[in-house]
Amino acid sequence: MISTTAWASSQKLWLSNSEQHPIVSEAEIRKALSNLSQPLFVVLGKDGPVIYQDGKINTEGLGFEILARIPAQDISRLGDPEFLKAHGVKAAYMAGAMANGIASEELVIALGKSGYLASFGAAGLVPSRVEQAIHRIQKELPNGPYAFNLIHSPSEEALERGAVDLYLKYGVKTVEASAFLDLTEHIVRYRVAGLKRRSDNTIETGNRVIAKISRREVASKFMRPAPLKFLEKLLLANQITKEQMEMAKSVPMCDDIIVEADSGGHTDNRPLPCLLPSILGLRDEIQAEFHYSPPLRVGAGGGISTPLSALGAYMMGASFIVTGSVNQACVESGSCDHVRKVLAQAEMADVAMAPAADMFEMGVKLQVLKRGTLFPMRAQKLYEIYRTYPSLESIPQDEKSRLETQIFRRSLEQIWTDTRAYFLSRDPEQVHMAEADPKQKMALVFRWYLGLSSRWANSGEKGREMDYQIWAGPAMGAFNDWVKGTYLSEPQSRNASVVAEAILHGAAYFSRVRQAEAQGIRFDSRLLDYRPSR
């Protein structure tokens, strides 16, 4: 079960606990490695290397020859302890926001009560729905931890502004800022409005920002202080004080950065081994310039769903890890049972890129599940038509008929009537622009399908299963491969906190294995097949 390389260090020792017995069988070694609270000692016995657990080491006199020390490895030791301190959590782990309430109140509360940070998926929801979520989460988690998503909404600025209004009104102290292409006055307002001067003259950043990025240029904006143009505008509007404006010049726009690699939903499909070191290097450059205290923390998300992917991120320097797709398949998510079942069957290749509803006109895409749904193909068809024709009226009749019968199942005129009414109550400016610009009107009509398709998936709309828009990345398939044959292979067994514990415990298990390997110890391959167990 254990072998050693020629360069393993050695030292004479003996175990003062005379009742200790060597651990030699596969089951015993697996159990010992899984018992994270106990240190292990690999020693050279008569018949080769063996493990002793919790033995008191005494190097006086003759005894065994020590080959490796494997320290205790609690999950709290993974990542940056400052993340735990700042957010009041027990592990450097976060469940990222999934729009339209997929990252639901139930998900945030369940993880929060288990000591993990989770972000409510406020994107795409009307203000009254977000307000409802704030009340419920704050009631269940009065002292946290929790966060709320603040998504950049270039096509519907009123939503971004309204979300900030709510977060400031109700004292939401942590937001996850996502899909930002640049800073806006709204995210700057949220950040700066929470700045206070402590009695020792240091600055308290009352409103924490966790910025999810996938580009260096965007990361740089969040790592630096707020732009003066926004500060001056906010001061003029009496939305910040002059003292807050001065303090803002010496604090970064965020506390934490999430490096988003190949994830579900909005993604640039960047490989984490390339992107994370680049952003870590950028952080260090900016830290050398501004000397923030404490320094910015950089976490990793996208593609993380198994113990080894989690450990890999930590080992590359991630302060914390962020999961997404795997949480959508959990019982607490805002998705329906049909979606959870399909996600539990997904393989790594069962994903595709499709046009995004919130940035449709810009050609921005997001990653979705293609297994069991025609949404990716149908959404792409809509974008091709949008690019080809200047207005709804210019679409050829046969093409229009196919749209109405195969995708919309209603006339385009009926859809515009409903869309117009929807935006008049939500963001009237969108209607005014559409009535003045036929191209924009077509975009809003097509976004009707793109927007509802994700809501159909959440509510389990009968008859629309082939139109479900299900956000997912390759991490979903990797997780399914890992838990195959275990109790977590069944969707009804997937509780978000249980999934978090399984991933983190497995990462700590493999961390101990890697520490032993670094000292020249090699374990049998069967011990490297770690699976979740009850």
Side-chain angles (χ1 to χ4, degrees):
M1 288 300 151
I2 311 174
S3 62
T4 180
T5 60
W7 52 267
S9 62
S10 64
Q11 179 181 345
K12 293 293 184 180
L13 64 89
W14 58 282
L15 301 174
S16 63
N17 183 351
S18 60
E19 296 182 358
Q20 277 284 1
H21 299 287
I23 298 170
V24 294
S25 72
E26 177 189 347
E28 288 176 327
I29 295 174
R30 183 183 296 278
K31 183 178 179 181
L33 287 170
S34 297
N35 188 355
L36 304 178
S37 64
Q38 296 293 333
L40 302 177
F41 304 94
V42 183
V43 302
L44 186 60
K46 294 179 180 179
D47 300 317
V50 294
I51 288 180
Y52 280 88
Q53 180 173 286
D54 196 26
K56 297 179 180 179
I57 300 301
N58 188 328
T59 56
E60 296 179 1
L62 299 176
F64 294 109
E65 187 176 331
I66 187 169
L67 299 177
R69 293 180 176 88
I70 308 175
Q73 178 68 75
D74 187 78
I75 62 172
S76 64
R77 299 185 183 183
L78 298 168
D80 188 344
E82 286 296 322
F83 182 87
L84 280 64
K85 180 180 176 182
H87 297 285
V89 293
K90 69 179 184 182
Y93 178 100
M94 176 182 176
M98 293 175 285
N100 291 333
I102 294 174
S104 64
E105 294 100 316
E106 291 80 6
L107 185 74
V108 174
I109 292 168
L111 284 167
K113 288 185 174 181
S114 296
Y116 301 109
L117 178 64
S119 179
F120 178 76
L125 300 179
V126 295
S128 60
R129 175 68 181 87
V130 178
E131 188 173 22
Q132 176 187 335
I134 293 173
H135 290 317
R136 184 177 174 194
I137 291 172
Q138 289 185 335
K139 180 181 178 180
E140 296 288 337
L141 299 170
N143 300 312
Y146 65 84
F148 274 74
N149 185 220
L150 177 63
I151 193 167
H152 181 40
S153 304
S155 300
E156 298 180 66
E157 185 183 356
L159 284 181
E160 190 178 326
R161 180 175 59 249
V164 169
D165 288 342
L166 285 175
Y167 299 156
L168 292 177
K169 178 180 178 180
Y170 291 108
V172 172
K173 297 302 183 184
T174 305
V175 301
E176 176 192 338
S178 60
F180 277 78
L181 304 174
D182 200 347
L183 295 179
T184 67
E185 66 175 280
H186 310 301
I187 183 64
V188 172
R189 176 189 167 206
Y190 174 82
R191 178 64 164 175
V192 178
L195 298 180
K196 298 177 183 178
R197 184 78 66 177
R198 298 189 184 96
S199 58
D200 62 359
N201 208 38
T202 59
I203 298 173
E204 177 184 345
T205 54
N207 293 337
R208 291 184 293 268
V209 173
I210 304 173
K212 184 186 291 182
I213 59 89
S214 58
R215 296 172 181 266
R216 277 179 63 98
E217 63 271 20
V218 179
S220 178
K221 295 176 187 295
F222 276 101
M223 289 179 176
R224 296 178 180 277
L228 186 59
K229 64 177 182 179
F230 290 135
L231 296 175
E232 291 175 340
K233 184 176 181 179
L234 292 168
L235 180 64
L236 190 63
N238 293 319
Q239 293 182 317
I240 62 172
T241 67
K242 189 171 183 180
E243 184 181 16
Q244 286 173 329
M245 177 178 175
E246 290 304 312
M247 287 187 285
K249 296 176 182 179
S250 59
V251 299
M253 269 299 299
C254 71
D255 305 275
D256 300 277
I257 289 280
I258 300 173
V259 174
E260 184 180 24
D262 193 7
S263 65
H266 288 287
T267 180
D268 284 329
N269 304 113
R270 302 291 177 86
L272 188 64
C274 298
L275 185 59
L276 179 58
S278 175
I279 301 302
L280 285 170
L282 177 65
R283 186 272 309 273
D284 293 342
E285 292 173 15
I286 293 177
Q287 177 64 22
E289 179 180 352
F290 290 97
H291 306 287
Y292 298 130
S293 180
L296 289 164
R297 296 175 293 269
V298 177
I304 297 176
S305 61
T306 64
L308 282 174
S309 59
L311 180 60
Y314 288 129
M315 294 298 288
M316 280 194 292
S319 297
F320 58 100
I321 61 170
V322 182
T323 56
S325 299
V326 293
N327 299 315
Q328 186 174 189
C330 291
V331 296
E332 299 95 343
S333 81
S335 293
C336 68
D337 288 339
H338 175 87
V339 168
R340 280 187 275 269
K341 183 178 179 180
V342 173
L343 285 170
Q345 298 170 348
E347 298 180 0
M348 280 187 282
D350 289 336
V351 292
M353 300 300 293
D358 55 344
M359 301 182 187
F360 176 75
E361 298 93 320
M362 301 168 64
V364 174
K365 293 187 176 184
L366 39 68
Q367 192 157 217
V368 297
L369 195 69
K370 65 181 180 181
R371 185 189 186 107
T373 175
L374 294 175
F375 170 79
M377 181 179 67
R378 289 175 172 174
Q380 184 59 36
K381 180 65 175 178
L382 292 180
Y383 186 68
E384 290 171 0
I385 292 175
Y386 172 77
R387 290 286 305 273
T388 303
Y389 303 104
S391 66
L392 292 172
E393 291 72 22
S394 64
I395 300 174
Q397 186 56 46
D398 60 339
E399 191 76 85
K400 179 181 177 181
S401 297
R402 282 193 292 271
L403 289 178
E404 293 178 333
T405 58
Q406 297 178 10
I407 299 180
F408 293 110
R409 302 188 190 178
R410 302 176 65 188
S411 70
L412 298 182
E413 290 76 15
Q414 289 176 314
I415 293 171
W416 169 242
T417 298
D418 291 349
T419 300
R420 185 177 186 278
Y422 172 79
F423 278 107
L424 281 176
S425 64
R426 179 184 176 110
D427 186 1
E429 183 60 26
Q430 294 290 323
V431 176
H432 301 154
M433 290 189 296
E435 290 179 338
D437 182 0
K439 190 80 168 179
Q440 180 63 17
K441 179 180 178 180
M442 178 165 54
L444 290 187
V445 168
F446 287 1
R447 282 167 58 190
W448 174 92
Y449 173 79
L450 298 175
L452 281 180
S453 58
S454 61
R455 288 176 171 79
W456 291 332
N458 291 351
S459 64
E461 183 77 16
K462 298 296 183 183
R464 280 289 192 174
E465 289 83 357
M466 297 307 292
D467 293 296
Y468 285 0
Q469 180 182 171
I470 305 170
W471 300 314
M476 190 70 253
F479 179 82
N480 291 335
D481 286 343
W482 174 50
V483 302
K484 189 177 297 181
T486 74
Y487 75 105
L488 285 180
S489 63
E490 298 299 326
Q492 62 269 23
S493 298
R494 297 184 182 184
N495 296 92
S497 60
V498 172
V499 168
E501 293 280 354
I503 292 172
L504 289 169
H505 193 280
Y509 175 96
F510 281 115
S511 175
R512 279 155 63 96
V513 170
R514 297 295 179 249
Q515 290 181 67
E517 290 178 343
Q519 299 174 72
I521 302 302
R522 295 292 180 267
F523 293 101
D524 186 279
S525 61
R526 286 173 290 181
L527 290 167
L528 305 182
D529 183 21
Y530 176 89
R531 303 292 175 124
S533 59
R534 293 183 187 275

